[in-house]
Amino acid sequence: MGAFPIFSDSPVIFLSIVFLFSRAVPGVRSLSGVSVMCGIAGVARIDGAALGPETDTLLDGLADALLHRGPDDRELLRHDGVGLAFTRLSLVDPVGGGQPLFSEDGSVVLIANGEVYNHRELAAGLPAGTRMRTQSDCEVLVHLYQRDGLAFLNKVNGMFALVLWDRKRNVLIFARDRFGIKPLFFHRDKERVVFASEIKALFTDPAVPRRVDWEKTLGDPAMNAGPMFTHAPVNTWFEDVDLVPAATIVRIDLADGDTAEHRYWRLPEADADCDASDSELIDAYRDLLIASVRDCATADADLGLFLSGGIDSAAVAALAGRDDLRTFTVLTGATVLNGDAEWGHRAARLLGLPNHHVVFDGNRVPTPEEWKRLLWLTETPLCGPEQYYKYELHRYARQEFPEIKGMLLGAASDEFNGGYSPNMANGGDWNDFLANLRIMARNQSLGQRPEFAHWWEISERPMIKDAFLLDSLSPRDTYDAFMAWKYRSLQQYNVWHEDRTAAGNSIEARVPFLDHRLVELVAKIPAARRPSLLWDKRILRKAMEGILPEPILRRPKVPFYYGEGVRHTYRTFARMLVQQGGALLDEAVSTSRAREFLDADGIRETLRRLEREPESAGIEMALRLVNLGLIERMTSELPPSPGSLPRQPTFDSLVVSDWDRQRMEIRNLVLPKPSVTADGVYALAEETELVSVPAQPNTWYLLVDGYCMYTLDENTEPLRVAVLRALDSVSTVEKIVSDLGCDADDVFPLLEEAVELGVVQTCSTAR
C-alpha cells in the first residue's frame, strides 16, 4: 500500500488516520456488506485558506452532538482546508466499516451516512483492476465518482447522505438519496462552510446563527396546514441553515466558494405510452417490493418492526424473511378504539412473530422537560403525538432489547400508493378525490396570483374555470401535482421525524417503500389506469394476495392515533400544554423574538377551549406554535446532546396472548374509567347547553361557555341526541334506558364518553 500524503497537526487525529489505514489492508475478513447508521459532520474553508489546530475543538463538538447517531465508533480528520467528523452505529462488521473512506491514491475522501444496497452489482461494473480496500458498501461510491464524476449516483440504489472531498479538483461535494431519507444540513459564510447530519450539531459552532425563521415557518403550508399544494424547497425552520436537497449533488469550489447544484433524479410523471396490463404492473410491483424489503432486512444485528396491523407494516413483516424479528405496537386509548392495536396483535399472530404492546396509560402526560428533550431531538415545530409515540417505541425497543439496532417501517406507502385517496375523497370515489385535488391545486395557484381569488369567493359555485390558473403550475396534471406535493411533504415531515426518533435511540430506521424503483413504477401509471391500481392502495393489496391473510389485505387504512378515540390523544397533549400553570407556553413566549409573533393570551384562551374539546385538531396547531417558541428559546442556551442524557425508565409493555379474552384488561389499561352506573343520575354540566334552531330541527348544538363544541345530527346519531335530551337531574340511567326502549349496552358508552369529555356530570355536581 502506498503512502498517503495527508497529515495533521493533531496527534490524536493523525493516529485516527493511521488506524483507519491499518485496518484497510488486504486480508481483513470479508463480509457481505456494511450497513451503518451514523453521524457525519465537518467544516471546510471556501476561501483557499487552511484550517488551524483550533478547528479540532469544533470537530470534537460536532462529533459530541451526533453521539446518539453513532455510539460505536468515532473518527476525526483535519488536513489543509477540510475537517471531517464521523460517528458510527455498527449493524454489520464492527471492524471493517469505519470511515472516512479513501481512494487508492488518497485523492478522494468520503464520509457517508446510510447504505448502498446494490454495491456488489456496482462494484462488479468497475474497471478491471479496481481494488476494494474495505468491506464498506459505501466504498464503491469513491470509485464511481472517480469514473463517472457528477453522474456517480445515477445507478445507486440506497439511502444515504454523503460528503466527498476531491483533493485534486479542490472541491467539496454534498449529496443525498432520492427521497432525503438521510439528512445533511449546512451553513456557510464568506470563509467557511460547516455541515452536519442534524441542525443541533451546527449550533455547536459559535459562528452559526441561531435564529428561527418565523415568517417563512408560519407561512409554510406544512406548518399551518393550509389546504393547498406546495412544491417549495424543504424548510429548515432556521435562518441561514440550508438543507442539501434530496436527489441532488451540491458542488463547492474550496478555492473561491463557487457553488453549483446537479439534480440526478426527479419524480417521474404519468407515462401515457405504458402498455403493461394491470396484472403485469402488479407483478412487477410485488417483485420490486420483495427485493426492497430483503435489502432493508439484511443486517448482522437484530432488527425490529413497528406493526400497526395495517397492510403496509404487515407486508414488510411478511416479506422480511427473518424469524428473529420482534414487532412493536403502540397501545393507547386511540389505537384501542380505532383497532390499530388489536390488528397489530392479530397480524403478529397470523405471521408468527412476537409482538410487544407498549402501554401508554391514559393518565400519563409528558412533562415539560420530557417534551423539550424530544423537541430538541427532532428539531422541528411539527413534533407532535406521532413523534412522541414513535420515539417511545424506539426507546422501549432499544432498552429492552439492546441487540436491536435497526427498525423496519411501513412508512411512505400511503404517499405514493394512493393511501390517502379515500379520505381525501370525503366519502366519494376517485373522481371526487381528483376534484378535491383540483381545489388544492387552485389554492396553490391563487396563493401565487391572489388578484384572482375574489372570483372564487363571491359564489358557491365557481364562475371561472380553473384551467387558466392551473396552466401556470408544474406539473399541470393534478395527480402529478399531488405526487410532487407528497414528495415534498415526505421530506419535510415523514423521513425527517422517522430519522430523528430512531437515531435518538441509536437505531437506524429502514423504509422499504422508499425504493426509487417502486415509486417510479407507481408514478408512471397512466392516468386512466390510476383508479384501478391506486385507489386505496389497490396495487399493494393485489400484490400481497397469497402472501398476507385476507383480513389484513382488506383492512381499511386507519391513520395511527386518529380515527375513533383521537380525543384520548388530543386530551393528553392538551393537558401537557396546560400543566404546571402552562409552563411550556410561558417558556415559549419568553424571548423577545417569539413575542413579536405569538399572542400568548390568544394561545392560552385557545388551550382552555381545547382542553374542554379534546377532539379538535386545533391542539396540534397550538402545539406547533408553542414548539416554535420553545425551539427559539432552546437555541439561546443549547440543551445537552441527546447522546449525553441519562437513561430514563421506559413505558411498560403488555404481552397479549388472546385479544378477545384480554379486551377489558386492555381497555382498563389505557382508557379513562368514568363512573357511570345504572342507578346514577346525570345531567349536562353547568356551562353546557343542548340547543337546536327551528330552521334545522334535526340538528343539535352542544354549547360550552357559549361556544359550539359539537354538532349532532339526529338522523345519523338518534340515540346520542335522545340520551342527552333525557338527562334531567332526576332520572336514573336505568329509567332513561327503559323510557327510550333501548339497550343499556348502547347507552353506557355514550354516557361514559360524555362524562369523559366533561359535558355531562353526576347530578351532585351538575346544575
Side-chain angles (χ1 to χ4, degrees):
M1 181 175 67
F4 185 73
I6 290 186
F7 299 92
S8 168
D9 297 324
S10 165
V12 175
I13 298 177
F14 175 71
L15 288 174
S16 226
I17 297 169
V18 173
F19 175 62
L20 280 166
F21 275 85
S22 70
R23 63 188 183 191
V25 297
V28 296
R29 67 191 183 95
S30 174
L31 289 178
S32 59
V34 175
S35 304
V36 58
M37 193 276 286
C38 62
I40 58 176
V43 60
R45 298 287 301 203
I46 55 175
D47 57 1
L51 294 170
E54 70 281 357
T55 308
D56 299 347
T57 301
L58 172 58
L59 293 174
D60 262 324
L62 290 168
D64 286 343
L66 298 175
L67 178 64
H68 55 289
R69 298 188 70 88
D72 296 337
D73 194 12
R74 174 191 184 104
E75 305 289 351
L76 306 175
L77 180 151
R78 174 176 57 80
H79 178 70
D80 290 342
V82 175
L84 303 175
F86 175 80
T87 65
R88 177 177 183 242
L89 173 72
S90 305
L91 274 76
V92 178
D93 190 9
V95 175
Q99 297 185 29
L101 298 164
F102 304 90
S103 62
E104 189 166 2
D105 63 358
S107 65
V108 177
V109 185
L110 174 80
I111 54 175
N113 169 24
E115 305 171 53
V116 176
Y117 296 129
N118 62 335
H119 63 98
R120 295 187 194 86
E121 173 190 337
L122 295 170
L126 292 173
T130 301
R131 185 160 61 98
M132 305 298 288
R133 302 158 63 84
T134 75
Q135 302 305 311
S136 171
D137 58 310
C138 290
E139 186 187 350
V140 72
L141 300 175
V142 173
H143 303 292
L144 291 174
Y145 173 76
Q146 288 186 300
R147 187 189 69 184
D148 301 332
L150 295 184
F152 76 118
L153 297 177
N154 289 2
K155 296 182 179 179
V156 172
N157 179 24
M159 56 177 186
F160 53 84
L162 64 86
V163 177
L164 185 147
W165 177 24
D166 184 336
R167 297 178 62 240
K168 285 183 179 178
R169 295 178 176 84
N170 197 28
V171 297
L172 195 68
I173 286 175
F174 301 149
R176 294 173 72 211
D177 62 70
R178 293 169 177 81
F179 300 98
I181 301 168
K182 295 298 184 183
L184 184 58
F185 299 89
F186 66 96
H187 164 75
R188 59 180 292 167
D189 55 28
K190 294 180 180 179
E191 298 177 345
R192 301 182 317 149
V193 57
V194 58
F195 45 91
S197 295
E198 298 183 16
I199 298 172
K200 63 181 69 66
L202 297 181
F203 291 153
T204 63
D205 180 2
V208 176
R210 306 174 188 172
R211 294 190 300 268
V212 168
D213 192 335
W214 283 87
E215 292 189 19
K216 186 176 179 181
T217 296
L218 293 174
D220 195 309
M223 178 72 173
N224 60 39
M228 65 182 69
F229 295 151
T230 177
H231 305 135
V234 174
N235 196 338
T236 69
W237 316 118
F238 290 94
E239 297 178 12
D240 298 321
V241 172
D242 294 310
L243 175 67
V244 177
T248 300
I249 297 169
V250 178
R251 182 184 184 277
I252 304 175
D253 191 317
L254 298 180
D256 58 13
D258 183 59
T259 302
E261 290 189 2
H262 167 69
R263 186 71 181 255
Y264 67 89
W265 184 84
R266 294 183 184 279
L267 184 69
E269 298 181 6
D271 180 5
D273 297 326
C274 173
D275 58 1
S277 66
D278 283 5
S279 61
E280 289 172 331
L281 289 170
I282 291 166
D283 289 344
Y285 185 93
R286 180 190 304 109
D287 292 343
L288 289 172
L289 181 60
I290 290 172
S292 180
V293 173
R294 293 296 169 88
D295 283 340
C296 291
T298 300
D300 283 349
D302 284 2
L303 299 177
L305 180 140
F306 286 176
L307 186 61
S308 69
I311 189 171
D312 305 328
S313 58
V316 175
L319 297 177
R322 293 186 63 132
D323 55 11
D324 62 344
L325 194 65
R326 292 185 180 274
T327 68
F328 303 90
T329 300
V330 171
L331 190 64
T332 69
T335 63
V336 166
L337 291 178
N338 71 16
D340 240 19
E342 177 178 351
W343 277 96
H345 160 73
R346 296 191 186 282
R349 290 287 298 274
L350 289 168
L351 296 172
L353 297 172
N355 184 228
H356 304 269
H357 281 82
V358 181
V359 179
F360 295 84
D361 188 314
N363 295 318
R364 172 73 163 78
V365 176
T367 67
E369 288 307 313
E370 285 177 315
W371 187 252
K372 288 189 293 183
R373 187 159 56 241
L374 176 62
L375 181 59
W376 186 244
L377 171 67
T378 59
E379 58 195 19
T380 171
L382 303 181
C383 185
E386 181 175 4
Q387 291 68 45
Y388 174 69
Y389 294 130
K390 286 184 174 178
Y391 172 78
E392 292 296 343
L393 273 191
H394 281 299
R395 194 163 69 88
Y396 173 86
R398 192 72 162 100
Q399 291 193 26
E400 297 298 320
F401 307 98
E403 64 277 11
I404 290 179
K405 294 186 178 182
M407 193 67 66
L408 295 168
L409 306 174
S413 172
D414 286 321
E415 278 69 20
F416 298 122
N417 290 331
Y420 296 113
S421 52
N423 288 341
M424 295 184 71
N426 293 328
D429 57 16
W430 181 266
N431 290 329
D432 297 299
F433 168 55
L434 292 183
N436 289 332
L437 295 189
R438 284 192 290 272
I439 293 173
M440 296 184 71
R442 179 204 303 159
N443 290 343
Q444 177 190 7
S445 186
L446 289 176
Q448 300 168 3
R449 307 175 70 181
E451 67 272 19
F452 295 107
H454 188 59
W455 288 109
W456 277 267
E457 298 170 354
I458 58 178
S459 66
E460 291 186 6
R461 178 170 179 173
M463 296 184 292
I464 295 180
K465 292 185 176 180
D466 290 338
F468 88 97
L469 283 173
L470 303 185
D471 280 348
S472 65
L473 297 181
S474 179
R476 290 171 58 184
D477 179 278
T478 51
Y479 190 83
D480 286 336
F482 166 75
M483 290 279 280
W485 172 58
K486 297 312 293 182
Y487 178 65
R488 193 262 189 181
S489 66
L490 184 85
Q491 300 168 59
Q492 186 72 77
Y493 179 73
N494 303 75
V495 297
W496 185 315
H497 77 75
E498 299 287 11
D499 173 84
R500 300 304 192 284
T501 54
N505 293 286
S506 299
I507 288 177
E508 178 178 79
R510 297 185 167 192
V511 281
F513 283 104
L514 283 184
D515 185 304
H516 71 278
R517 298 165 299 177
L518 274 174
V519 174
E520 287 173 351
L521 187 150
V522 297
K524 291 179 180 179
I525 291 174
R529 312 271 292 287
R530 287 168 178 159
S532 63
L533 291 170
L534 297 179
W535 174 258
D536 192 24
K537 296 188 285 195
R538 283 178 179 169
I539 191 168
L540 173 61
R541 297 183 191 279
K542 290 287 187 181
M544 294 304 295
E545 287 181 352
I547 300 174
L548 284 177
E550 189 71 16
I552 298 176
L553 282 176
R554 304 304 166 210
R555 186 182 176 231
K557 171 180 171 55
V558 177
F560 197 13
Y561 59 86
Y562 289 95
E564 184 183 356
V566 69
R567 65 184 181 277
H568 296 288
T569 301
Y570 286 155
R571 184 188 61 178
T572 294
F573 287 86
R575 290 167 61 193
M576 180 187 78
L577 287 173
V578 300
Q579 69 179 312
Q580 299 181 21
L584 285 174
L585 175 57
D586 289 343
E587 186 170 346
V589 296
S590 63
T591 67
S592 58
R593 186 73 169 147
R595 289 193 294 271
E596 288 182 32
F597 294 91
L598 300 183
D599 185 331
D601 291 337
I603 296 176
R604 286 191 183 93
E605 174 58 27
T606 299
L607 291 177
R608 280 194 291 268
R609 288 194 294 106
L610 290 172
E611 193 179 11
R612 297 190 299 265
E613 185 192 3
E615 290 194 50
S616 170
I619 188 64
E620 292 195 72
M621 303 308 295
L623 180 57
R624 291 178 183 183
L625 295 178
V626 173
N627 285 344
L628 201 57
L630 290 171
I631 290 172
E632 176 88 56
R633 177 70 182 84
M634 287 189 283
T635 58
S636 62
E637 295 180 16
L638 297 182
S641 164
S644 67
L645 295 171
R647 177 177 292 189
Q648 302 292 317
T650 63
F651 285 83
D652 293 331
S653 68
L654 177 69
V655 176
V656 181
S657 57
D658 185 327
W659 188 278
D660 294 323
R661 183 173 56 80
Q662 294 175 251
R663 188 179 300 275
M664 289 310 299
E665 174 194 358
I666 294 167
R667 291 176 66 91
N668 289 336
L669 278 174
V670 295
L671 293 174
K673 308 164 188 63
S675 54
V676 174
T677 60
D679 59 354
V681 178
Y682 301 89
L684 294 178
E686 184 175 348
E687 299 171 338
T688 304
E689 295 180 88
L690 183 67
V691 301
S692 66
V693 294
Q696 298 174 302
N698 293 319
T699 302
W700 293 80
Y701 302 93
L702 202 59
L703 309 181
V704 179
D705 287 338
Y707 292 98
C708 180
M709 293 300 179
Y710 305 98
T711 301
L712 307 175
D713 186 336
E714 196 167 3
N715 292 322
T716 58
E717 299 183 283
L719 184 58
R720 187 185 301 273
V721 173
V723 169
L724 291 175
R725 294 185 66 189
L727 300 176
D728 57 7
S729 304
V730 176
S731 302
T732 64
V733 174
E734 187 177 33
K735 184 175 187 305
I736 290 173
V737 169
S738 175
D739 290 346
L740 295 177
C742 58
D743 193 326
D745 289 341
D746 294 328
V747 172
F748 272 80
L750 297 177
L751 268 179
E752 288 174 352
E753 178 185 57
V755 171
E756 179 193 334
L757 293 175
V759 296
V760 168
Q761 296 178 347
T762 62
C763 64
S764 60
T765 57
R767 58 179 171 86

